[in-house]
Amino acid sequence: RAQKVTRVLFPHRRAMGPPLLSASALAAAEAAAVSSLAALAAKARKEETQFSKTSEASALESLARAAARARDAPRPPTGPPPPDGPRQPKEPPPAHVVAALIGAKQSWQQRSAAGGGCTASSKALAAEHAQGP
């Protein structure tokens, strides 16, 4: 009765009979399946590495373009525009510096008027140099 029910419910199933494949045929089929799976896995790895290389190159290219756009973009000035004409000092120099500058200018003018701008010591050095050793 169990065989009859099995045949009715599962007509495609055969009753336990002789094996469908011999042992060597089964081993050959398994080897072919393993070989096919290994080839597919190698192909998938190859495609994955190619895809990653392509995507990395594309990402670097887009980063380079973005950096070029940022570098070439106009930027606002960092400070106020420079004034027209010569710049004036913010505060005048101390009085002693001004007096020293004026005094140095006057003494230079007096020396140049008296002896051509040379002091006595520089004239003596020039004379020694002209005589030689």
Side-chain angles (χ1 to χ4, degrees):
R1 182 171 159 101
Q3 287 179 348
K4 202 175 201 183
V5 171
T6 304
R7 274 192 209 143
V8 172
L9 292 177
F10 306 107
H12 60 281
R13 277 194 168 176
R14 289 181 34 178
M16 292 300 279
L20 297 175
L21 295 174
S22 66
S24 61
L26 182 61
E30 284 180 8
V34 168
S35 172
S36 173
L37 287 174
L40 288 174
K43 183 180 176 185
R45 278 193 306 270
K46 185 177 178 182
E47 288 174 355
E48 183 180 346
T49 56
Q50 182 64 31
F51 177 75
S52 68
K53 286 179 183 178
T54 306
S55 62
E56 285 176 7
S58 173
L60 282 174
E61 205 173 286
S62 70
L63 280 174
R65 274 189 255 124
R69 279 194 303 260
R71 183 178 52 246
D72 297 340
R75 291 188 172 78
T78 56
D84 293 338
R87 290 187 153 185
Q88 298 296 324
K90 293 183 180 176
E91 48 185 69
H96 69 278
V97 173
V98 174
L101 286 174
I102 293 172
K105 185 176 181 183
Q106 288 175 351
S107 66
W108 177 78
Q109 288 173 347
Q110 290 170 356
R111 277 184 281 159
S112 64
C118 296
T119 60
S121 61
S122 63
K123 286 181 182 179
L125 285 173
E128 285 178 18
H129 184 66
Q131 291 175 359

PDB file of all heavy atoms in Angstrom, residues 4 10-11 37 47 53 60 70 81 84-86 107 112 132:
ATOM      1  N   LYS A   4       2.073   2.085  -3.421  1.00  0.00           N
ATOM      2  CA  LYS A   4       1.007   2.590  -4.255  1.00  0.00           C
ATOM      3  C   LYS A   4       0.777   4.078  -3.988  1.00  0.00           C
ATOM      4  O   LYS A   4       0.595   4.874  -4.917  1.00  0.00           O
ATOM      5  CB  LYS A   4      -0.261   1.775  -3.976  1.00  0.00           C
ATOM      6  CG  LYS A   4      -1.249   1.816  -5.059  1.00  0.00           C
ATOM      7  CD  LYS A   4      -2.374   0.878  -4.694  1.00  0.00           C
ATOM      8  CE  LYS A   4      -3.101   0.513  -5.954  1.00  0.00           C
ATOM      9  NZ  LYS A   4      -4.243  -0.320  -5.704  1.00  0.00           N
ATOM     10  N   PHE A  10       3.897  10.786  -6.039  1.00  0.00           N
ATOM     11  CA  PHE A  10       5.142  11.147  -6.723  1.00  0.00           C
ATOM     12  C   PHE A  10       5.342  10.201  -7.909  1.00  0.00           C
ATOM     13  O   PHE A  10       6.156   9.282  -7.846  1.00  0.00           O
ATOM     14  CB  PHE A  10       6.336  11.048  -5.772  1.00  0.00           C
ATOM     15  CG  PHE A  10       6.165  11.836  -4.506  1.00  0.00           C
ATOM     16  CD1 PHE A  10       5.921  11.201  -3.298  1.00  0.00           C
ATOM     17  CD2 PHE A  10       6.238  13.217  -4.524  1.00  0.00           C
ATOM     18  CE1 PHE A  10       5.766  11.923  -2.148  1.00  0.00           C
ATOM     19  CE2 PHE A  10       6.089  13.943  -3.357  1.00  0.00           C
ATOM     20  CZ  PHE A  10       5.842  13.303  -2.163  1.00  0.00           C
ATOM     21  N   PRO A  11       4.645  10.432  -9.013  1.00  0.00           N
ATOM     22  CA  PRO A  11       4.745   9.489 -10.126  1.00  0.00           C
ATOM     23  C   PRO A  11       6.113   9.527 -10.813  1.00  0.00           C
ATOM     24  O   PRO A  11       6.517   8.567 -11.447  1.00  0.00           O
ATOM     25  CB  PRO A  11       3.654   9.936 -11.093  1.00  0.00           C
ATOM     26  CG  PRO A  11       3.347  11.324 -10.730  1.00  0.00           C
ATOM     27  CD  PRO A  11       3.703  11.478  -9.283  1.00  0.00           C
ATOM     28  N   LEU A  37      32.412  24.864 -11.899  1.00  0.00           N
ATOM     29  CA  LEU A  37      32.297  25.852 -10.819  1.00  0.00           C
ATOM     30  C   LEU A  37      33.612  26.610 -10.624  1.00  0.00           C
ATOM     31  O   LEU A  37      33.605  27.819 -10.382  1.00  0.00           O
ATOM     32  CB  LEU A  37      31.876  25.166  -9.519  1.00  0.00           C
ATOM     33  CG  LEU A  37      30.420  24.704  -9.467  1.00  0.00           C
ATOM     34  CD1 LEU A  37      30.177  23.919  -8.186  1.00  0.00           C
ATOM     35  CD2 LEU A  37      29.477  25.878  -9.561  1.00  0.00           C
ATOM     36  N   GLU A  47      36.495  39.313 -13.484  1.00  0.00           N
ATOM     37  CA  GLU A  47      35.571  40.426 -13.751  1.00  0.00           C
ATOM     38  C   GLU A  47      35.537  41.405 -12.587  1.00  0.00           C
ATOM     39  O   GLU A  47      35.468  42.618 -12.789  1.00  0.00           O
ATOM     40  CB  GLU A  47      34.167  39.881 -14.028  1.00  0.00           C
ATOM     41  CG  GLU A  47      34.030  39.183 -15.365  1.00  0.00           C
ATOM     42  CD  GLU A  47      32.671  38.532 -15.551  1.00  0.00           C
ATOM     43  OE1 GLU A  47      31.861  38.545 -14.594  1.00  0.00           O
ATOM     44  OE2 GLU A  47      32.420  38.017 -16.648  1.00  0.00           O
ATOM     45  N   LYS A  53      39.308  47.930 -10.849  1.00  0.00           N
ATOM     46  CA  LYS A  53      40.309  48.795 -11.479  1.00  0.00           C
ATOM     47  C   LYS A  53      39.644  49.915 -12.259  1.00  0.00           C
ATOM     48  O   LYS A  53      40.056  51.075 -12.188  1.00  0.00           O
ATOM     49  CB  LYS A  53      41.202  47.981 -12.412  1.00  0.00           C
ATOM     50  CG  LYS A  53      42.203  47.110 -11.706  1.00  0.00           C
ATOM     51  CD  LYS A  53      43.030  46.331 -12.712  1.00  0.00           C
ATOM     52  CE  LYS A  53      43.996  45.393 -12.025  1.00  0.00           C
ATOM     53  NZ  LYS A  53      44.761  44.599 -13.001  1.00  0.00           N
ATOM     54  N   LEU A  60      39.453  58.347  -9.500  1.00  0.00           N
ATOM     55  CA  LEU A  60      40.611  59.241  -9.521  1.00  0.00           C
ATOM     56  C   LEU A  60      40.446  60.335 -10.571  1.00  0.00           C
ATOM     57  O   LEU A  60      40.811  61.492 -10.343  1.00  0.00           O
ATOM     58  CB  LEU A  60      41.879  58.443  -9.803  1.00  0.00           C
ATOM     59  CG  LEU A  60      42.436  57.658  -8.623  1.00  0.00           C
ATOM     60  CD1 LEU A  60      43.609  56.800  -9.070  1.00  0.00           C
ATOM     61  CD2 LEU A  60      42.856  58.581  -7.510  1.00  0.00           C
ATOM     62  N   ALA A  70      38.144  73.314  -8.491  1.00  0.00           N
ATOM     63  CA  ALA A  70      38.298  74.082  -7.240  1.00  0.00           C
ATOM     64  C   ALA A  70      39.513  74.994  -7.316  1.00  0.00           C
ATOM     65  O   ALA A  70      39.495  76.108  -6.792  1.00  0.00           O
ATOM     66  CB  ALA A  70      38.433  73.130  -6.061  1.00  0.00           C
ATOM     67  N   PRO A  81      40.573  96.198  -0.706  1.00  0.00           N
ATOM     68  CA  PRO A  81      41.407  96.527  -1.864  1.00  0.00           C
ATOM     69  C   PRO A  81      42.480  97.540  -1.474  1.00  0.00           C
ATOM     70  O   PRO A  81      42.299  98.337  -0.554  1.00  0.00           O
ATOM     71  CB  PRO A  81      40.420  97.134  -2.859  1.00  0.00           C
ATOM     72  CG  PRO A  81      39.261  97.572  -2.043  1.00  0.00           C
ATOM     73  CD  PRO A  81      39.207  96.657  -0.854  1.00  0.00           C
ATOM     74  N   ASP A  84      44.407 103.701  -3.546  1.00  0.00           N
ATOM     75  CA  ASP A  84      45.016 104.321  -4.724  1.00  0.00           C
ATOM     76  C   ASP A  84      46.105 105.278  -4.269  1.00  0.00           C
ATOM     77  O   ASP A  84      45.962 105.993  -3.286  1.00  0.00           O
ATOM     78  CB  ASP A  84      43.963 105.100  -5.528  1.00  0.00           C
ATOM     79  CG  ASP A  84      42.939 104.169  -6.146  1.00  0.00           C
ATOM     80  OD1 ASP A  84      43.265 102.970  -6.314  1.00  0.00           O
ATOM     81  OD2 ASP A  84      41.821 104.612  -6.458  1.00  0.00           O
ATOM     82  N   GLY A  85      47.214 105.303  -4.981  1.00  0.00           N
ATOM     83  CA  GLY A  85      48.310 106.210  -4.651  1.00  0.00           C
ATOM     84  C   GLY A  85      49.256 105.602  -3.650  1.00  0.00           C
ATOM     85  O   GLY A  85      49.122 104.454  -3.242  1.00  0.00           O
ATOM     86  N   PRO A  86      50.263 106.413  -3.216  1.00  0.00           N
ATOM     87  CA  PRO A  86      51.247 105.884  -2.261  1.00  0.00           C
ATOM     88  C   PRO A  86      50.617 105.687  -0.891  1.00  0.00           C
ATOM     89  O   PRO A  86      49.692 106.393  -0.496  1.00  0.00           O
ATOM     90  CB  PRO A  86      52.335 106.960  -2.228  1.00  0.00           C
ATOM     91  CG  PRO A  86      51.647 108.202  -2.666  1.00  0.00           C
ATOM     92  CD  PRO A  86      50.558 107.777  -3.611  1.00  0.00           C
ATOM     93  N   SER A 107      74.596 116.858   7.903  1.00  0.00           N
ATOM     94  CA  SER A 107      76.038 116.667   8.037  1.00  0.00           C
ATOM     95  C   SER A 107      76.620 116.118   6.735  1.00  0.00           C
ATOM     96  O   SER A 107      77.726 116.481   6.346  1.00  0.00           O
ATOM     97  CB  SER A 107      76.358 115.737   9.206  1.00  0.00           C
ATOM     98  OG  SER A 107      75.872 114.438   8.931  1.00  0.00           O
ATOM     99  N   SER A 112      79.987 117.105   1.985  1.00  0.00           N
ATOM    100  CA  SER A 112      80.158 117.083   0.526  1.00  0.00           C
ATOM    101  C   SER A 112      80.504 118.479   0.017  1.00  0.00           C
ATOM    102  O   SER A 112      81.256 118.618  -0.945  1.00  0.00           O
ATOM    103  CB  SER A 112      78.900 116.551  -0.151  1.00  0.00           C
ATOM    104  OG  SER A 112      77.808 117.422   0.084  1.00  0.00           O
ATOM    105  N   GLY A 132     101.351 102.714  -2.388  1.00  0.00           N
ATOM    106  CA  GLY A 132     101.706 101.314  -2.538  1.00  0.00           C
ATOM    107  C   GLY A 132     102.515 100.822  -1.367  1.00  0.00           C
ATOM    108  O   GLY A 132     102.893 101.571  -0.479  1.00  0.00           O
TER     109      GLY A 132
END
